[in-house]
mmCIF file of all heavy atoms in Angstrom:
data_model
loop_
_atom_site.group_PDB
_atom_site.id
_atom_site.type_symbol
_atom_site.label_atom_id
_atom_site.label_comp_id
_atom_site.label_asym_id
_atom_site.label_seq_id
_atom_site.Cartn_x
_atom_site.Cartn_y
_atom_site.Cartn_z
ATOM 1 N N VAL A 225 -0.201 53.103 -40.751
ATOM 2 C CA VAL A 225 -0.500 52.209 -39.600
ATOM 3 C C VAL A 225 0.353 50.987 -39.779
ATOM 4 O O VAL A 225 0.528 50.440 -40.771
ATOM 5 C CB VAL A 225 -1.984 51.780 -39.675
ATOM 6 C CG1 VAL A 225 -2.289 50.752 -38.609
ATOM 7 C CG2 VAL A 225 -2.913 52.977 -39.438
ATOM 8 N N ILE A 226 1.029 50.731 -38.614
ATOM 9 C CA ILE A 226 1.841 49.499 -38.539
ATOM 10 C C ILE A 226 1.090 48.468 -37.764
ATOM 11 O O ILE A 226 0.529 48.776 -36.697
ATOM 12 C CB ILE A 226 3.194 49.811 -37.755
ATOM 13 C CG1 ILE A 226 3.893 50.971 -38.435
ATOM 14 C CG2 ILE A 226 4.080 48.570 -37.689
ATOM 15 C CD1 ILE A 226 5.045 51.560 -37.582
ATOM 16 N N THR A 227 1.107 47.250 -38.286
ATOM 17 C CA THR A 227 0.338 46.145 -37.667
ATOM 18 C C THR A 227 1.325 45.046 -37.348
ATOM 19 O O THR A 227 2.119 44.676 -38.239
ATOM 20 C CB THR A 227 -0.726 45.595 -38.563
ATOM 21 O OG1 THR A 227 -1.599 46.667 -38.838
ATOM 22 C CG2 THR A 227 -1.422 44.469 -37.955
ATOM 23 N N ALA A 228 1.276 44.492 -36.146
ATOM 24 C CA ALA A 228 2.071 43.338 -35.713
ATOM 25 C C ALA A 228 1.073 42.248 -35.466
ATOM 26 O O ALA A 228 0.147 42.360 -34.706
ATOM 27 C CB ALA A 228 2.920 43.608 -34.495
ATOM 28 N N ASN A 229 1.324 41.086 -36.116
ATOM 29 C CA ASN A 229 0.483 39.829 -35.795
ATOM 30 C C ASN A 229 1.326 39.050 -34.759
ATOM 31 O O ASN A 229 2.506 38.831 -34.929
ATOM 32 C CB ASN A 229 0.294 39.077 -37.087
ATOM 33 C CG ASN A 229 -0.540 39.799 -38.041
ATOM 34 O OD1 ASN A 229 -1.783 40.104 -37.773
ATOM 35 N ND2 ASN A 229 0.017 40.149 -39.204
ATOM 36 N N VAL A 230 0.592 38.546 -33.750
ATOM 37 C CA VAL A 230 1.251 37.891 -32.687
ATOM 38 C C VAL A 230 0.563 36.459 -32.559
ATOM 39 O O VAL A 230 -0.550 36.291 -33.038
ATOM 40 C CB VAL A 230 1.184 38.592 -31.317
ATOM 41 C CG1 VAL A 230 1.867 39.940 -31.398
ATOM 42 C CG2 VAL A 230 -0.277 38.751 -30.873
ATOM 43 N N ASP A 231 1.280 35.517 -31.988
ATOM 44 C CA ASP A 231 0.688 34.183 -31.725
ATOM 45 C C ASP A 231 -0.371 34.317 -30.648
ATOM 46 O O ASP A 231 -0.429 35.350 -29.985
ATOM 47 C CB ASP A 231 1.773 33.067 -31.481
ATOM 48 C CG ASP A 231 2.358 33.271 -30.177
ATOM 49 O OD1 ASP A 231 2.168 34.241 -29.381
ATOM 50 O OD2 ASP A 231 3.306 32.424 -29.799
ATOM 51 N N ILE A 232 -1.113 33.266 -30.454
ATOM 52 C CA ILE A 232 -2.168 33.215 -29.488
ATOM 53 C C ILE A 232 -1.728 33.571 -28.046
ATOM 54 O O ILE A 232 -2.459 34.221 -27.277
ATOM 55 C CB ILE A 232 -2.916 31.931 -29.520
ATOM 56 C CG1 ILE A 232 -4.214 31.961 -28.705
ATOM 57 C CG2 ILE A 232 -2.127 30.740 -29.024
ATOM 58 C CD1 ILE A 232 -5.296 32.738 -29.321
ATOM 59 N N THR A 233 -0.529 33.172 -27.721
ATOM 60 C CA THR A 233 -0.048 33.507 -26.332
ATOM 61 C C THR A 233 0.475 34.961 -26.239
ATOM 62 O O THR A 233 0.662 35.409 -25.164
ATOM 63 C CB THR A 233 1.121 32.465 -25.909
ATOM 64 O OG1 THR A 233 2.211 32.652 -26.805
ATOM 65 C CG2 THR A 233 0.584 31.099 -25.857
ATOM 66 N N GLY A 234 0.668 35.557 -27.383
ATOM 67 C CA GLY A 234 1.245 36.939 -27.388
ATOM 68 C C GLY A 234 0.186 37.985 -27.047
ATOM 69 O O GLY A 234 0.530 39.172 -26.878
ATOM 70 N N VAL A 235 -1.145 37.647 -26.991
ATOM 71 C CA VAL A 235 -2.087 38.659 -26.776
ATOM 72 C C VAL A 235 -2.195 39.280 -25.408
ATOM 73 O O VAL A 235 -2.770 40.235 -25.168
ATOM 74 C CB VAL A 235 -3.546 38.134 -27.197
ATOM 75 C CG1 VAL A 235 -3.640 37.706 -28.607
ATOM 76 C CG2 VAL A 235 -3.958 36.937 -26.260
ATOM 77 N N VAL A 236 -1.401 38.642 -24.482
ATOM 78 C CA VAL A 236 -1.327 39.208 -23.143
ATOM 79 C C VAL A 236 -0.148 40.123 -22.939
ATOM 80 O O VAL A 236 0.020 40.708 -21.880
ATOM 81 C CB VAL A 236 -1.342 38.106 -22.012
ATOM 82 C CG1 VAL A 236 -2.622 37.297 -22.155
ATOM 83 C CG2 VAL A 236 -0.142 37.218 -22.177
ATOM 84 N N VAL A 237 0.712 40.272 -23.898
ATOM 85 C CA VAL A 237 1.918 41.041 -23.761
ATOM 86 C C VAL A 237 1.883 42.227 -24.767
ATOM 87 O O VAL A 237 1.702 42.017 -25.983
ATOM 88 C CB VAL A 237 3.153 40.198 -24.068
ATOM 89 C CG1 VAL A 237 4.407 40.962 -23.924
ATOM 90 C CG2 VAL A 237 3.182 38.976 -23.122
#
Side-chain angles (χ1 to χ4, degrees):
V225 175
I226 304 167
T227 300
N229 293 296
V230 299
D231 70 358
I232 190 72
T233 60
V235 299
V236 298
V237 179

